[in-house]
Amino acid sequence: MSYYTIKDESSCQFEEKKSTFISNIKRVYNEEEAKDFVQEIKTKYKDARHNVYAYVIGEKMNIQRYSDDGEPQGTAGIPMLEVIKKSEVTDVAIVVTRYFGGILLGTGGLARAYSKGASSAIKEGKIVLRVKGKPLFITVNYDFLGKIQYLCEKKMWYLENTEYTDRVKLTIYFENEVIDNAKNTFTEATSGSCEFSEGEETYYFKIKSRLFLE
């Protein structure tokens, strides 16, 4: 199973008719983490008029919560939640803090401002694909190292680590559905002389063709 989330915890701000909006976003994996993050931001900006939040959790976006935190109903939390859903990201919590500037924005203006706060936060957090995979350890004779390196470059498989002893041990992170194909490719290229072992399954971030440990 793979899905989109955000890579970094981030913060950004903008002004709208003298009101200051501060957006904070964090990747969360359960509702307790989301609530803790919301409370953390509320404590940090306890002097603000509003700390509006929305969060979506689960691979299938099955947990969805929001709060207008004193703004007119439907003008803040729901627009933020809709931005998250339209961005197709999950496991994210966003809090948009508003320091009131004395000028009323109206219902449409509020909805636009909080939507902007959510979309800006997602942009700052950087959308990434989260995938399940494993590290594949390949042990091979020196004679075949060049072939392995060529194949990795051709297929855009990134060599995370190379150890040189009496043989060469290479480490590559693969999505689960790619591992068997990779083994077959390396076996064919080395006439069956390479050895494999796999590490534990975990989640990775996928950016372009490379997997990164979280």
Side-chain angles (χ1 to χ4, degrees), residues 36-56:
D36 286 346
F37 175 64
V38 171
Q39 188 56 52
E40 176 189 332
I41 300 302
K42 283 186 173 183
T43 301
K44 182 177 181 179
Y45 300 109
K46 59 185 178 182
D47 58 334
R49 178 73 68 89
H50 307 282
N51 284 287
V52 175
Y53 70 80
Y55 57 81
V56 176

Side-chain angles (χ1 to χ4, degrees), residues 47-144:
D47 58 334
R49 178 73 68 89
H50 307 282
N51 284 287
V52 175
Y53 70 80
Y55 57 81
V56 176
I57 300 168
E59 294 179 1
K60 297 183 179 180
M61 304 177 122
N62 51 305
I63 299 175
Q64 301 181 12
R65 304 281 188 269
Y66 70 89
S67 169
D68 293 314
D69 195 36
E71 294 284 25
Q73 186 176 0
T75 64
I78 287 180
M80 288 172 56
L81 184 63
E82 288 302 312
V83 168
I84 296 174
K85 290 161 63 178
K86 287 179 181 178
S87 299
E88 298 183 337
V89 294
T90 188
D91 286 351
V92 294
I94 302 175
V95 184
V96 177
T97 301
R98 181 190 182 192
Y99 283 92
F100 184 55
I103 300 175
L104 297 175
L105 300 183
T107 56
L110 285 171
R112 286 190 293 274
Y114 282 103
S115 294
K116 179 179 178 180
S119 60
S120 298
I122 292 171
K123 182 178 180 180
E124 286 293 319
K126 301 182 182 67
I127 296 176
V128 290
L129 188 63
R130 193 169 187 250
V131 301
K132 278 187 176 180
K134 296 177 182 178
L136 180 65
F137 307 108
I138 308 157
T139 303
V140 67
N141 294 331
Y142 279 85
D143 293 347
F144 292 107

Side-chain angles (χ1 to χ4, degrees), residues 3 5-7 26-34 56-59 63 90-93 130 203-205 214:
Y3 61 91
T5 186
I6 57 107
K7 182 175 182 290
K26 184 177 182 178
R27 191 174 66 257
V28 294
Y29 297 122
N30 55 61
E31 200 158 8
E32 183 179 356
E33 288 183 12
V56 176
I57 300 168
E59 294 179 1
I63 299 175
T90 188
D91 286 351
V92 294
R130 193 169 187 250
Y203 272 104
Y204 295 89
F205 290 138
E214 299 182 7

